[in-house]
Amino acid sequence: MAFPDITPELKALMPDLRGRLLANEPLAPFTWLRVGGPAQVLFTPADVEDLAYFLARLPAEIPLMPLGLASNMIIRDGGVPGVVIRFSPRSFGRIAVEPGHRIRTGAFATDRKVAQEAAEAGIGGLEFLYGIPGSIGGALRMNAGTRSNTNPEIEGETAERFVEAKAVTRAGEIITLDRAAMGFVYRGCGVAPDTIFVEALLEGFPRAPESIHAVNARVQEHRERDQETKVRTAGSTFKNPPGHSAWRLVRDAGGLDLRFGQAEMSRKHANFLIAHDGATAADIEALGEEIRRRVKAGQGIDLEWEVKRVGISLPSQA
Ligand SMILES: Cc1cc2nc3c(=O)[nH]c(=O)nc-3n(C[C@H](O)[C@H](O)[C@H](O)COP(=O)(O)OP(=O)(O)OC[C@H]3O[C@@H](n4cnc5c(N)ncnc54)[C@H](O)[C@@H]3O)c2cc1C
C-alpha cells in the first residue's frame, strides 16, 4: 500500500528546511520486530532548530509520530499516515558528562551507550539503562525501567534519574520540561504524544567505575538468562496490572500454546512476544488481543498493552 506523496507540498511550505523528507519510506527495517508498512513521510531533521522550523510550518491536520529505536513498537502493516520523525545519531546522539554526576544526552543516544558513558565517568544509578535496547527519547516517553525480584542493584527507572528534558512542541516551540511537567507514571509520561524530546539531563551519584561495570555485567547476565535476546521481540508486551505479573497472567491464560501465523509468546519470558520470519503486524496484534480476551474472560483483569501499536491495520492472513 502506498500513501499519496505529500513531500512536494511540504517542501514548498518549508523552503529553508535542511533535513531530509522521504515519501513512502519502509519502517520495518528500523524496528525490532521488523514488521509493518511505510511512513507516508519520513523526516530526518538536521538539528533541533530544523525540527522546530519543520513543526512550526507543518499543517495542523497532518499526524505526527516520533520514532526512537522502535524497540517498543508494532508498526501496523498498512503503514503510518502523516509524518514519522527519525533522528540521525550524529545530530541527536551526543552525550556529555557534566558536573554533579550528571549526563546530558541527545534523544537518539542509545540507553546502553549512556549507561556505558556513565560507568566510565563514575556515575552510578544508570545501570538499569544498560539492558534496555531503546533510545533516550523512548526512555523518557516510556519511563523505561527494570524491576527485579532477585537483584535490587539492577533495578531503576528513568524518572528516578531525571533532571530536565528539552523538547519541541507540535507548534514548533523549543521548551524545557521539569519533573512535574513530565508527569511520569509506570511505563509512561503525561507529555503530549506529538511533543518531541530532543535532549535529557540525568543525574546519578558517585560510584567507582569498576563497581558499575560489574553491575552492568550482571544486568547483561540477567537479560541473557531470563529474556529473549536473540529473536525479534518488543520486550514486555503488556504492563503489569497492579498486584499481578503480566507474564504469569499470559501463561495461565494458555498464551504459550497460541500461535498466530508466525507470531507466538516466548517460553523463556511469557510476556515477550516473538516475531518469526514471515510474521505480520496483524499476526502479532491478533495474538496479543486473543491473550487479552482470555485474561479478561478467565481472571477478569484488563491487560494493558505496553507495546505501542501505530498505523493502519490490514487483516491477518493467519
Ligand atoms: C529485548 C527487549 C527488552 C526490553 N526490556 C525493557 C525493560 O527492561 N524495561 C523497559 O522499560 N523497556 C524494555 N523494552 C522496551 C523498550 O526498549 C523501551 O520501552 C524503550 O524505552 C523504547 O525506546 P525506543 O527508543 O525503542 O522507543 P520506540 O519504541 O521507538 O518508541 C516508544 C514510544 O516512545 C515515543 N518516542 C520515541 N522517541 C521519542 C522522542 N524523541 N520524543 C518523544 N517520543 C518519543 C514513540 O513515539 C513511542 O510512543 C525492551 C525491549 C526489547 C526489544
Side-chain angles (χ1 to χ4, degrees):
M1 176 181 150
F3 293 104
D5 181 359
I6 57 169
T7 57
E9 286 110 283
L10 293 181
K11 283 177 184 162
L13 286 172
M14 308 166 184
D16 296 326
L17 196 70
R18 290 171 289 121
R20 197 174 49 164
L21 288 173
L22 296 171
N24 282 301
E25 189 65 12
L27 291 176
F30 297 134
T31 70
W32 270 68
L33 288 169
R34 298 282 190 277
V35 299
Q40 184 168 15
V41 176
L42 186 69
F43 175 48
T44 307
D47 50 33
V48 176
E49 289 69 33
D50 195 47
L51 175 61
Y53 174 85
F54 175 83
L55 292 176
R57 284 156 189 81
L58 182 69
E61 66 279 8
I62 298 184
L64 178 75
M65 188 194 84
L67 199 65
L69 289 168
S71 60
N72 194 54
M73 262 208 203
I74 300 171
I75 307 277
R76 294 191 177 115
D77 303 305
V80 182
V83 174
V84 173
I85 294 182
R86 190 163 196 273
F87 301 103
S88 74
R90 196 162 50 88
S91 303
F92 291 87
R94 293 196 191 103
I95 302 173
V97 173
E98 296 194 354
H101 303 97
R102 289 180 165 190
I103 236 173
R104 191 175 291 277
T105 154
F108 205 55
T110 66
D111 298 342
R112 173 164 288 217
K113 183 88 177 107
V114 171
Q116 281 167 334
E117 295 280 335
E120 294 303 325
I123 302 174
L126 292 163
E127 294 84 348
F128 69 95
L129 285 176
Y130 190 74
I132 302 179
S135 66
I136 289 296
L140 293 172
R141 170 66 60 200
M142 298 304 303
N143 188 13
T146 303
R147 292 178 184 171
S148 163
N149 295 329
T150 48
N151 190 352
E153 70 180 353
I154 66 171
E155 289 192 342
E157 206 170 59
T158 306
E160 290 164 16
R161 299 288 151 225
F162 177 86
V163 179
E164 64 180 32
K166 195 156 123 186
V168 185
T169 66
R170 181 64 174 78
E173 196 190 349
I174 301 175
I175 57 170
T176 300
L177 296 153
D178 63 12
R179 176 181 297 278
M182 288 297 291
F184 284 118
V185 292
Y186 165 59
R187 297 298 166 267
C189 76
V191 176
D194 53 9
T195 290
I196 319 287
F197 301 118
V198 291
E199 190 181 284
L201 182 63
L202 305 173
E203 184 174 309
F205 48 80
R207 190 172 207 181
E210 52 277 20
S211 308
I212 303 176
H213 288 305
V215 176
N216 286 350
R218 285 195 280 282
V219 167
Q220 187 66 24
E221 269 166 38
H222 163 77
R223 297 264 156 189
E224 284 172 10
R225 194 185 56 236
D226 297 339
Q227 297 182 2
E228 296 288 354
T229 52
K230 307 236 172 345
V231 290
R232 284 150 37 197
T233 97
S236 294
T237 309
F238 304 109
K239 295 183 182 182
N240 290 316
H244 296 273
S245 294
W247 71 264
R248 198 172 278 126
L249 293 169
V250 172
R251 185 197 63 188
D252 294 349
L256 297 180
D257 301 323
L258 293 172
R259 188 165 172 135
F260 279 65
Q262 296 304 317
E264 65 178 346
M265 301 308 285
S266 158
R267 291 189 174 269
K268 203 167 175 187
H269 190 312
N271 195 26
F272 274 41
L273 56 77
I274 298 177
H276 297 289
D277 283 352
T280 63
D283 296 338
I284 295 169
E285 201 169 355
L287 170 65
E289 285 302 331
E290 173 59 14
I291 290 171
R292 291 183 67 238
R293 192 192 65 71
R294 288 183 176 210
V295 170
K296 180 73 177 169
Q299 314 254 11
I301 296 170
D302 285 313
L303 264 187
E304 193 188 333
W305 284 90
E306 179 168 325
V307 174
K308 305 274 186 193
R309 294 151 303 129
V310 297
I312 298 173
S313 302
L314 296 183
S316 170
Q317 305 301 317

